[in-house]
Amino acid sequence: MNETRRAILAAIGDGPLSGPELAAELDVSRAAVWKHIEALREAGFEIESGPDGYDLAGVTAYNGPAVEYGLDAPFTIEYHDSIGNTNDRARELAAEGAADVAVLADEQTGGRGRLEREWSSPSGGVWVSVVSRPAITPARAPLYTLAASVAITQAAREAGVDARIKWPNDVIVPIDGTDYRKLAGILTEMEGETDRVEWLVVGIGVNANIDADDLPETATSIRAEAGDVDRRRFVQRLLEAFDRYRSDLESVVPAWREHALTLGQRVRIDRPTGDLVGEAIDVTDSGALVVETDDGRETVSAGDCEHLRPV
Ligand code: BT5
């Protein structure tokens, strides 16, 4: 957001200020103040003008300036009403050298899951891809995915949804013992060399204010579970939690364990090298799943995981 507009919001957020007071405080003309106020109103900031001056009554919009305003994390927000998908755009920005940018969209017309699967992304969801340039080895990159799953789970629980994590990257809502519906997914992509990550794009998709009928049968949404959420606040909480965890990678796995539904379950892991069935007993410090099988203990770092009924 434009620096002057940011300063105006900060000033009127604490109570009314008149046009001349704002002009003096920010060292711009009164006409400029008026123009900025109009632009902010157009961007969805409800600015009232009373006898004591301009006052920020609320923020109802869902767009870049609205999400950046009051966000306690270092991200710039690039917002699109509609886009092919936010991961592709975030990768473009990353390749140009960007850091700490979050590409956010209301709708994706070509949403991607892992392994070339489709990700259904109608209007009303939270589709966001975050560019980071961390000083870590690629082996630690899965922690970013786990960090995102913890952040989503916490934000969804605050919104009243009984959200849990299914290893490695799904946020789900349990129906009974082993059945569940998927609320959110994560697609992490990266570029780097064997000993250093160049950039990481963590793509987060949360079914927020969407009818369950507009999603695959195995999916659910915040709307279906708990009613609509204020997406601006939701994205802010999500990005703030993600930023806290990525800045303290040691805290990720303990937080992940707290919300994981997979631990203690009988699971089938579908890996490129073949299926693995057993009990999921732990995750390692780098986020790999430890499975107790009939033939002993195995550690799996990637694959699709299915929760099975106990035998
Ligand atoms: C994922 O893949 O779960 C990763 C999803 C990542 C989406 C975000 S949105 C922002 C960014 N931009 C993108 O284009 N992607 C990221 P996977 O584990 O492969 O799950 C895909 C499978 O989930 C599909 O094959 C469907 O069965 C199911 N599915 C599709 N859309 C869904 C939805 N909206 N909600 C729940 N399940 C869905």
Side-chain angles (χ1 to χ4, degrees):
M1 195 189 329
N2 169 305
E3 279 311 312
T4 311
R5 283 179 205 163
R6 201 188 299 274
I8 290 178
L9 288 172
I12 64 177
D14 294 335
L17 271 182
S18 69
E21 281 169 327
L22 274 171
E25 194 166 305
L26 305 173
D27 201 18
V28 295
S29 70
R30 286 188 208 182
V33 166
W34 185 81
K35 268 194 200 152
H36 286 304
I37 294 276
E38 281 312 300
L40 284 166
R41 282 177 170 150
E42 249 166 57
F45 291 89
E46 288 170 53
I47 300 173
E48 291 173 353
S49 14
D52 298 326
Y54 296 115
D55 198 6
L56 182 62
V59 187
T60 47
Y62 183 60
N63 56 30
V67 174
E68 275 181 21
Y69 176 67
L71 174 66
D72 188 14
F75 301 111
T76 309
I77 310 292
E78 182 184 291
Y79 175 82
H80 301 263
D81 282 328
S82 181
I83 192 170
N85 70 72
T86 54
N87 260 47
D88 286 352
R89 175 62 188 144
R91 292 175 61 126
E92 257 173 45
L93 292 168
E96 289 165 11
D100 293 348
V101 177
V103 181
L104 177 69
D106 175 46
E107 174 195 60
Q108 299 186 119
T109 52
R112 294 195 282 122
R114 293 175 307 146
L115 309 169
E116 321 270 305
R117 294 180 192 129
E118 274 179 32
W119 183 256
S120 147
S121 318
S123 165
V126 166
W127 323 122
V128 59
S129 300
V130 184
V131 182
S132 306
R133 307 188 92 87
I136 58 167
T137 60
R140 310 257 291 160
L143 289 174
Y144 271 63
T145 306
L146 298 192
S149 62
V150 174
I152 299 168
T153 305
Q154 289 178 347
R157 295 188 77 82
E158 274 176 41
V161 179
D162 181 22
R164 311 289 180 85
I165 305 172
K166 182 168 84 73
W167 184 87
N169 71 333
D170 289 350
V171 177
I172 60 168
V173 178
I175 303 175
D176 59 39
T178 51
D179 283 339
Y180 49 81
R181 286 194 219 286
K182 183 156 160 172
L183 179 76
I186 304 159
L187 174 65
T188 302
E189 299 181 291
M190 61 182 228
E191 179 120 333
E193 293 166 20
T194 31
D195 55 353
R196 190 178 64 105
V197 166
E198 173 85 20
W199 52 255
L200 260 174
V201 167
V202 179
I204 297 173
V206 187
N207 303 323
N209 302 339
I210 305 175
D211 287 341
D213 286 350
D214 294 332
L215 292 166
E217 230 176 275
T218 51
T220 189
S221 64
I222 295 180
R223 173 178 286 172
E225 300 292 332
D228 279 4
V229 69
D230 175 344
R231 280 189 296 169
R232 170 178 167 261
R233 309 287 299 188
F234 182 86
V235 173
Q236 289 181 333
R237 297 294 90 81
L238 174 66
L239 291 176
E240 286 163 1
F242 177 68
D243 182 51
R244 275 197 306 276
Y245 285 111
R246 74 172 185 167
S247 317
D248 179 13
L249 287 178
E250 304 310 315
S251 67
V252 172
V253 170
W256 187 91
R257 279 200 189 97
E258 233 173 81
H259 295 299
L261 198 65
T262 303
L263 297 183
Q265 300 253 2
R266 244 170 73 73
V267 295
R268 177 187 297 120
I269 314 288
D270 176 7
R271 300 176 297 177
T273 50
D275 279 9
L276 186 76
V277 174
E279 187 189 338
I281 53 172
D282 201 8
V283 272
T284 66
D285 291 346
S286 58
L289 192 67
V290 183
V291 183
E292 187 81 61
T293 74
D294 289 345
D295 305 321
R297 218 166 254 200
E298 292 233 28
T299 302
V300 228
S301 56
D304 277 315
C305 166
E306 188 188 345
H307 292 178
L308 303 173
R309 296 198 179 279
V311 276

